[in-house]
Amino acid sequence: MDARPSRYHDVYARWQRDPLGFWGEAAAAIDWYEPPKKVFDPQAGIYGRWFTGGVCNTCFNAVDRHVLSGRNNQPALIYDSPVTETRQTFTYGRLLSEVQLLGAMLRDFGVDKGDRVIIYMPMVPEAVFAMLACARIGAIHSVVFGGFAAKELATRIDDAKPKVILSASCGLEGTRVVPYKPLLDQAITLARHKPEACLILQRPQCEAPLVAGRDHDWRARWEHAVNYAKTSECVPVAATDPLYILYTSGTTGVPKGVVRDNGGHMVALKWSMQYLYGVDPGEVYWAASDVGWVVGHSYIVYAPLLHGCTTILYEGKPVGTPDAGAFWRVISEHKAVALFTAPTAFRAIKKEDPDGALIAKYDLSRFRTLFLAGERADPPTVAWAERVLKVPVIDHWWQTETGWCIAGNPVGLGQLPVKHGSACVPMPGYTVDIVDDSCRPVAANTVGSIVVKLPLPPACLPTLWGQDERFKEAYLAEFPGYYKTADAGYKDEDGYIYVMSRTDDIINVAGHRLSTGGMEEVLASHPDVAECAVLGVRDPLKGEVPCGFIVLKAGVNRPHEEIEKEVVALVRDKIGPVAAFKLAITVARLPKTRSGKILRGTIKKIADGDPWTMPATIDDPAILDEIAAALKEHGLGA
Ligand code: COA
Ligand code: AMP
């Protein structure tokens, strides 16, 4: 750890004194066609907008400007794919020509500024080119994670109404080939909105038949574009124009389309690379996530490129591709200085290689910091990573909605002491309070709702796509003057933030955010199910996994196991394998309050083997014994 005192407190105080001056200065690190007229306009948008009047282009800042300033031959993107045994390096110069070509290909399909493009792709370089090409021509991309099923993709198609969809024939999950094209076809059949064209990247592991008149072969269009020397220029967009929509689980089955703008996003992400992650331009930065998640958007694609770093796109897993040394191999081979991943990946590695013995095989001398986010970093995992890696392990907390860190330990400003279990302190831009149900701040070390004072800083969502009212209702209504994070936790006497749980129905499975309400909707659609409840139960690897309870309709006398298997398959089919829904338990009745509310919290405590008390409002206490017995049969509970 740096022996000098951290500059964090001074920098945070500077932001508090003069937020506009602070962000105005940060904005100078970005190239603008027209500088913003106002750093922040409180009258614009729902809670104000950042950098109004500014005109810019995110692709220009992420690619072109580095080529112009001497990084032409520096690697921009390293594609490392143990599942296909491929490694490919794209310099900034090569990245620019790929993005220019793809931008031109999209324009040939009539894609224009403001049009939406869905990207449903595995972790291949073309997915990154696609995001940047959209940014280049002012189109709005919406990347959909590959582990979602056709129905989820269809919901997003209907909401975003893309002109074009970019996809691939298949993804590779470890040794398993996952065909994407049948899911895409099914999604387009299910969706009311039909895209005008689909561009399909054929992968040799599983080629897909193309639909005449709608589907186009990526490679053929690329060759055509090369032969005709096609190119595309950066289209100037307003700082407040949307760069992308990223759907995330909401409290119902309908996902929320989080909108990200161009200007504020660039400013905050660029700032974070230097001061939060402590990485210099030219260094190699690796986020082991997926481009389908916000971490992938911000820290595989945009932030490292905006900062002039080399970023790594890793198509593999922490274990099994081929072993638990995979991460160390990537770090040493590509000389990464920082790794950002979810704690679940480290739990997976620890399980396979408890002493970290594989680390000794690799040269990690350049590796400086491990960053964890996506779920609570449990202290044993943090302690293990510190012990085996001998570098600082930094937990930091953020959400799809914010696009970057709310609370973290800014190593670029000088690392603060690490406290296991805490995501550390708020970043400049965020005033984080812990409040009770009446929005009154609670004392230190008291658990409450975690809220962020408005306005949210640059990069955070200005609204939900096409749903201003839902945005206000879901995030701004409950705690006036604040953004509701829907996380609960506390601050200690040093102002360190501890994020403990969600206050809504979201669970976090292997760092993936899922709605139990959405799963309940699927279970309830089974013809034999009368009632159901889904909750997250503790899991040593994934943090939490969903567990469903079903009550069958009267008169249903098929074997329970058969129906349980069917509902498990239904969730996989309707939501996708990413839900990791493998456990459904049939019970005679569900425990409820006298007003009919299912006691999910109490069931969860029983399942996790935690101490629990009989809720005073329970309708029939005997039901909890039945639940405990059913859980015990499945190896859960005390
Ligand atoms: N396309 C298709 N299927 C996918 C997929 C994708 N892009 N990503 C995951 N899936 C499938 C998996 O194959 C698995 O299917 P299965 O039920 O048939 O085995 C299922 O979805 C669940 O995936 P996951 O929860 O990731 O479990 P896993 O057993 O494959 O891997 C870990 C477990 C811990 C190794 C893995 O979750 C991991 O590396 N997590 C890192 C977390 C992360 O990247 N978080 C993002 C935010 S930082
Ligand atoms: P997502 O939008 O998928 O990034 O998920 C965001 C949610 O994940 C947050 O609201 C938290 O519930 C959880 N989360 C993310 N990072 C952390 C962290 N460092 N500590 C605790 N919870 C986290």
Side-chain angles (χ1 to χ4, degrees), residues 294 374-376 395-400 487 499 502 508 513:
V294 67
E375 57 173 327
R376 181 161 190 270
D395 181 17
H396 62 324
W397 166 57
W398 51 301
Q399 308 183 312
T400 303
D487 279 316
V499 183
R502 293 281 302 191
N508 206 308
R513 173 170 159 179

Side-chain angles (χ1 to χ4, degrees), residues 117-123 127 130-131 140-162 164-168 180 183-184 187 244-248 255-257 290-294 297 574-576 578:
V117 174
I118 279 189
I119 301 171
Y120 182 60
M121 295 188 70
M123 290 281 283
M131 293 164 78
I140 302 165
H141 64 70
S142 186
V143 184
V144 178
F145 177 62
F148 282 120
K151 185 172 166 287
E152 292 287 324
L153 178 56
T155 311
R156 287 153 175 80
I157 293 174
D158 277 334
D159 198 68
K161 300 189 174 50
V164 171
I165 299 183
L166 306 183
S167 190
Y180 276 33
L183 297 175
L184 174 65
Y244 69 76
I245 308 165
L246 178 58
Y247 289 89
T248 188
K256 295 168 170 166
D290 188 288
V291 288
W293 305 117
V294 67
H297 280 63
K574 299 283 182 218
I575 297 178
V578 67

